[in-house]
Amino acid sequence: MGDYLLGEAIGKGAHGQVYRAIDQRDGTVVAIKEIPLRGLDAAALRAITVETDLLSSLSHPNVVAYLGTVETKSYRYIVLELAENGSLAGIVKPTRFGPCPEPLAAVYAAQMLDGLAYLHAQGVVHRDVKPSNILVDGAGHCLLADLGLAATRASMRLCG
């Protein structure tokens, strides 16, 4: 798959699987969303393209970083920053670490709000904020992810 070696599956999205991968050029570990092109209708393909275009225009410590796209005849691979600790939904499960203490919840909330404030300043409304769409990296930083339902100021003007 180009410069990347796909590893184990780490998640599933609306359109495909997400894998841990290694960049063969420098050893960086990334997440790669694999989207099968077969059976995708034009609207779904357009939505995926809009999401990747949007992600490529954003840069903030609390928004998952877009690193590139690789396309083959059968698949589109979206390369993203890896959030080693998975989703906030998995972290706050009482069976994983016990109840989430209030000071930790405040840290996560502040980071999510920083990311949302940045998106709003860029004219972007996430529209799907939920624990499974908030990832946590190895340093404990929250990253807003899955901008598939996001709207921009421009697209909202077109609709309303």
Side-chain angles (χ1 to χ4, degrees):
M1 213 280 316
D3 293 320
Y4 299 94
L5 297 173
L6 288 183
E8 76 272 15
I10 57 174
K12 187 166 177 58
H15 295 289
Q17 290 273 91
V18 179
Y19 295 90
R20 184 180 315 266
I22 296 176
D23 186 332
Q24 297 179 76
R25 298 167 296 187
D26 63 9
T28 303
V29 180
V30 297
I32 295 185
K33 186 188 286 190
E34 178 187 64
I35 302 165
L37 297 175
R38 184 174 179 211
L40 267 185
D41 62 23
L45 189 54
R46 196 169 33 259
I48 292 163
T49 301
V50 167
E51 180 182 5
T52 54
D53 289 349
L54 178 59
L55 276 171
S56 71
S57 72
L58 301 172
S59 178
H60 188 273
N62 298 112
V63 177
V64 70
Y66 169 81
L67 303 172
T69 300
V70 176
E71 192 153 337
T72 68
K73 195 167 126 176
S74 303
Y75 293 94
R76 178 174 290 178
Y77 297 94
I78 301 170
V79 185
L80 301 164
E81 169 183 13
L82 177 68
E84 299 91 335
N85 290 323
S87 75
L88 190 57
I91 288 175
V92 299
K93 278 185 181 177
T95 56
R96 187 161 181 200
F97 293 106
C100 184
E102 190 173 318
L104 179 58
V107 168
Y108 288 154
Q111 291 177 17
M112 288 181 278
L113 290 171
D114 282 347
L116 289 169
Y118 168 76
L119 290 177
H120 293 177
Q122 303 305 306
V124 176
V125 179
H126 190 289
R127 298 195 319 179
D128 197 20
V129 177
K130 58 188 177 186
S132 61
N133 287 341
I134 299 164
L135 306 178
V136 182
D137 70 13
H141 301 122
C142 287
L143 308 170
L144 295 169
D146 197 352
L147 293 167
L149 294 179
T152 62
R153 231 181 255 136
S155 68
M156 288 186 283
R157 272 196 290 272
L158 292 174
C159 297

